[in-house]
Amino acid sequence: MDSNTSYFSKVDAFVKQLKIITPDYLSQHLTGYIYYDRICYRDPDKNWFSKEYMAILDDEATNQIGVNQQNKMYLVQNTDMIDSYLYELLKSLDENLYDVSYNNDKDQEYLKDKIAEWKELVRRRYNKEEYINVFNVSSMNYNYL
């Protein structure tokens, strides 16, 4: 396949993705998880856990879009092209809230509230023109032309 054919197939894939991914679609499929990390100090009695609340898309969306299994980044319609805009959009929802307390019930309740907040944010932050611009820059950077 020559580079023009490859480039046009990427554009076709992106056009299909653009028809699917809208603010409503993202908010319907937005979920999250809590990432726990152990913080160790020299004093063994002072070992704590930190946690981050991270926004992700649910299984239905990730299957439709595609995910790179090595780095877990979203793809453009299961091609090999990373969806940088989607990655940055979801990352912008992550406020990196660190908390040294460890309480599963409160964490799950808090995560539900965070997901509701993220859904509102993603509706406001999604920008179709910006998405197209990021795709154009990405495709030039990866020498698809």
Side-chain angles (χ1 to χ4, degrees):
M1 186 182 318
D2 68 16
S3 61
N4 282 342
T5 308
S6 175
Y7 175 72
F8 290 123
S9 67
K10 301 284 182 192
V11 171
D12 288 341
F14 179 67
V15 168
K16 286 178 189 165
Q17 181 125 326
L18 207 57
K19 287 179 182 171
I20 296 166
I21 296 178
T22 63
D24 285 340
Y25 179 87
L26 290 173
S27 63
Q28 286 169 11
H29 293 280
L30 194 61
T31 185
Y33 72 97
I34 306 168
Y35 173 74
Y36 295 99
D37 197 13
R38 191 171 169 85
I39 303 173
C40 297
Y41 300 94
R42 286 181 189 225
D43 180 350
D45 294 330
K46 281 190 167 180
N47 288 331
W48 297 91
F49 288 96
S50 74
K51 58 186 169 242
E52 287 182 69
Y53 299 87
M54 303 175 94
I56 57 170
L57 294 175
D58 65 17
D59 289 343
E60 185 180 332
T62 52
N63 288 337
Q64 192 165 18
I65 295 165
V67 176
N68 181 318
Q69 292 306 315
Q70 292 174 331
N71 57 20
K72 301 298 180 194
M73 290 183 72
Y74 297 105
L75 301 173
V76 176
Q77 285 282 287
N78 289 298
T79 64
D80 62 349
M81 188 168 185
I82 300 297
D83 192 333
S84 309
Y85 180 79
L86 197 51
Y87 173 77
E88 291 299 331
L89 180 66
L90 294 185
K91 190 118 180 83
S92 76
L93 305 176
D94 176 17
E95 297 172 11
N96 289 319
L97 299 175
Y98 292 101
D99 184 352
V100 292
S101 62
Y102 191 79
N103 181 329
N104 268 341
D105 292 338
K106 276 189 178 176
D107 287 345
Q108 292 306 318
E109 201 174 299
Y110 186 78
L111 182 59
K112 277 185 188 174
D113 293 342
K114 284 306 295 174
I115 291 169
E117 182 184 316
W118 289 337
K119 287 180 178 193
E120 285 306 310
L121 280 170
V122 83
R123 280 191 187 104
R124 287 198 305 257
R125 291 184 185 174
Y126 176 86
N127 182 310
K128 189 173 183 177
E129 286 75 25
E130 189 180 328
Y131 199 171
I132 292 167
N133 287 339
V134 170
F135 173 78
N136 287 335
V137 170
S138 297
S139 53
M140 283 187 276
N141 286 344
Y142 291 118
N143 297 321
Y144 286 125
L145 291 174

